[in-house]
Amino acid sequence: MSTTPDLATIEAMDAADPLRSMRERFVLPQGVIYLDGNSLGAASAVVFSELQQAATQEWAQDLIRAWNTAGWFNMPVELGDQLGRLIGAADGQTVVCDTTSINIYKLLHAALGMRPNRSVIVAEGDSFPTDLYMAEGVASTRPGTRLRLEGVDAAAIEDLIDDSVAVILVNHVNYKSGQLRDMAALTRKAHDAGALIIWDLCHTAGALPVELDRANADFAVGCTYKYLNGGPGSPAFIYAAERHHGDISQPLSGWWGHARPFAFEQGFAVGSGIRRFLCGTQPVLSMRALKGALDIWNDVDMAAVRRKSIALTDLFIQLVEARCGAYGLELESPRDGSQRGSQVSFLHPHGYQVMRALIERGVIGDFRAPSTIRFGFTPLYVGYGDVWQAVEVLEDILRTGAWQDARFAVKTAVT
Ligand SMILES: *Cc1c(COP(=O)(O)O)cnc(C)c1O
């Protein structure tokens, strides 16, 4: 095994980092090492100026006229195209709207409607739970629909796919372990069986390059408040390959998805293209914040993001195992960087307390029940020196047993 780098080496890595200057665009508190951008991305100065402009000029001065003059009405599709460039989607196939959970509901219904002679939804038993909750909800409204789960009905998702499967709902990067799936290969497998596939990109968008069009994906969803830094509760997105647009019917047939919303007609007539996934009025202030956050990516090479992400996560694993190996931590993420998203998870029997102690010392990651401590590495604003510092604090907490203090065992509402 190679020797672990020393602080001087790590400082040299930061000095040579081509993404280093991006850090200045973000606003982070002093004394905090933020390793939770995979849960809520950091704020940026450009987001504040977008919000300021949207509130004080467009809303306060332009009032209702701003729907036209400030382009509010078209923002879902314009932001969708801008976001599409980060996920390998040509224009006209991505729309920003609603939440990931709601968008999963729309897409599962649309996909089931496109495969009327099939009744099975395949998903992962260890999926982010809302994906499964929504699948249950969809199944409850369509008698005869059944769920088949990886880890429950078979060990590997590939073994669940046959000609009864209408749609596969799958996470590109597992939220807990960070395990990455091969999008092109699983998409091909789905299509070979005549099934459709929905990729959940919540832990992908803004974290690593992905090529939806090239992988021949059918559908995708994802959120914008994690690696894309859109702000708390910023709207999610839907991708639908253009070849499917004519066949899609989604159940939330609100006026924003109507062909002529301002004709105020009596019956629903579905709008064209990706707009058909819209339902009702969208959160304009949140969309304006997202616009600022997405503009940052105009100056970013996603391949460089991926290179740095792997280097950061490799370094973290190497330092934690070298310095904290004696304290009961077990690597939960893949060791091979090419198999991992932009996060590292370790199992620890008292993970909750360890994470609370870390947060109190300014190293912010998060905890996922029952025993995962999770660290997200966002190459735009995390450096190699941050990794070093975080491991220093983690080692200290484990060596001294500081995490055993009773106050760290009291559960907070959000972990
Ligand atoms: C974060 C996340 C969600 C969140 O869904 P919301 O509807 O935005 O709350 C859904 N799926 C996955 C895989 C996630 O990581």
Side-chain angles (χ1 to χ4, degrees):
M1 200 182 148
S2 56
T3 55
T4 55
D6 60 11
L7 189 53
T9 309
I10 281 168
E11 283 168 356
M13 289 164 81
D14 272 329
D17 171 13
L19 293 173
R20 186 180 193 181
S21 67
M22 299 306 295
R23 167 75 180 78
E24 292 154 24
R25 310 233 192 153
F26 291 89
V27 182
L28 285 158
Q30 285 292 323
V32 161
I33 295 176
Y34 193 57
L35 304 180
D36 212 8
N38 53 329
S39 201
L40 176 64
S44 54
V46 63
V47 162
F48 298 154
S49 61
E50 287 288 333
L51 283 171
Q52 173 87 7
Q53 161 80 9
T56 61
Q57 176 58 43
E58 296 165 12
W59 177 18
Q61 302 300 318
D62 303 344
L63 291 163
I64 192 74
R65 295 168 289 188
W67 283 103
N68 292 312
T69 57
W72 288 354
F73 186 66
N74 280 323
M75 280 181 68
V77 287
E78 280 171 14
L79 292 181
D81 285 343
Q82 192 173 352
L83 199 160
R85 282 168 222 137
L86 301 176
I87 53 175
D91 286 0
Q93 303 178 103
T94 311
V95 66
V96 166
C97 59
D98 303 327
T99 68
T100 300
S101 303
I102 291 171
N103 290 341
I104 288 171
Y105 189 83
K106 297 176 203 168
L107 283 178
L108 281 173
H109 268 287
L112 287 164
M114 290 165 65
R115 292 290 181 273
N117 299 321
R118 298 175 175 221
S119 57
V120 174
I121 301 172
V122 166
E124 303 148 292
D126 67 349
S127 169
F128 189 89
T130 203
D131 299 43
L132 295 182
Y133 302 158
M134 297 313 292
E136 280 179 37
V138 170
S140 74
T141 67
R142 299 179 80 105
T145 306
R146 286 170 299 131
L147 252 61
R148 236 184 237 172
L149 298 183
E150 183 188 46
V152 176
D153 300 304
I157 202 162
E158 288 80 2
D159 296 331
L160 295 172
I161 304 172
D162 60 27
D163 63 10
S164 64
V165 174
V167 56
I168 298 151
L169 170 63
V170 69
N171 290 263
H172 185 228
V173 176
N174 182 280
Y175 79 104
K176 215 186 251 186
S177 68
Q179 175 75 48
L180 175 63
R181 287 199 191 264
D182 182 337
M183 179 178 283
L186 189 59
T187 299
R188 205 174 313 117
K189 177 97 189 162
H191 291 172
D192 286 348
L196 296 159
I197 190 159
I198 303 170
W199 287 96
D200 187 327
L201 303 182
C202 279
H203 290 272
T204 304
L208 57 149
V210 61
E211 295 287 347
L212 286 169
D213 286 347
R214 198 171 300 158
N216 206 22
D218 298 299
F219 303 111
V221 290
C223 50
T224 64
Y225 51 77
K226 292 173 181 165
Y227 293 95
L228 292 173
N229 311 309
S234 61
F237 64 89
I238 287 185
Y239 160 92
E242 189 169 16
R243 64 182 179 279
H244 294 317
H245 288 186
D247 303 324
I248 290 164
S249 142
Q250 64 99 349
L252 303 182
S253 48
W255 71 309
W256 275 50
H258 193 285
R260 294 166 296 278
F262 288 92
F264 298 103
E265 294 165 10
Q266 208 167 45
F268 185 76
V270 69
S272 64
I274 197 68
R275 273 191 181 275
R276 75 189 59 220
F277 280 107
L278 293 174
C279 178
T281 308
Q282 292 300 310
V284 171
L285 296 178
S286 268
M287 283 197 299
R288 286 301 300 269
L290 177 59
K291 162 128 187 62
L294 289 178
D295 282 346
I296 290 178
W297 295 91
N298 294 340
D299 305 324
V300 175
D301 170 12
M302 197 58 90
V305 168
R306 179 64 172 155
R307 274 193 298 278
K308 183 175 172 188
S309 158
I310 291 179
L312 288 167
T313 49
D314 276 347
L315 177 66
F316 185 69
I317 293 171
Q318 190 185 13
L319 290 176
V320 169
E321 291 191 334
R323 298 181 51 179
C324 311
Y327 304 114
L329 288 174
E330 184 194 332
L331 182 65
E332 186 183 12
S333 298
R335 192 170 292 280
D336 174 358
S338 72
Q339 295 294 307
R340 204 168 58 221
S342 202
Q343 70 178 67
V344 175
S345 303
F346 283 95
L347 298 167
H348 187 282
H350 301 284
Y352 182 76
Q353 286 116 295
V354 171
M355 184 49 73
R356 288 285 305 279
L358 275 168
I359 292 170
E360 193 178 276
R361 298 271 302 268
V363 178
I364 303 182
D366 61 25
F367 169 78
R368 289 292 173 263
S371 52
T372 297
I373 52 174
R374 194 173 71 150
F375 302 89
F377 294 85
T378 48
L380 298 192
Y381 53 81
V382 172
Y384 300 99
D386 297 322
V387 173
W388 173 273
Q389 198 54 41
V391 178
E392 290 256 307
V393 175
L394 178 61
E395 183 192 9
D396 188 70
I397 283 169
L398 292 168
R399 183 173 41 75
T400 60
W403 58 268
Q404 292 170 23
D405 191 289
R407 72 184 183 283
F408 297 132
V410 181
K411 285 266 165 43
T412 54
V414 174
T415 62

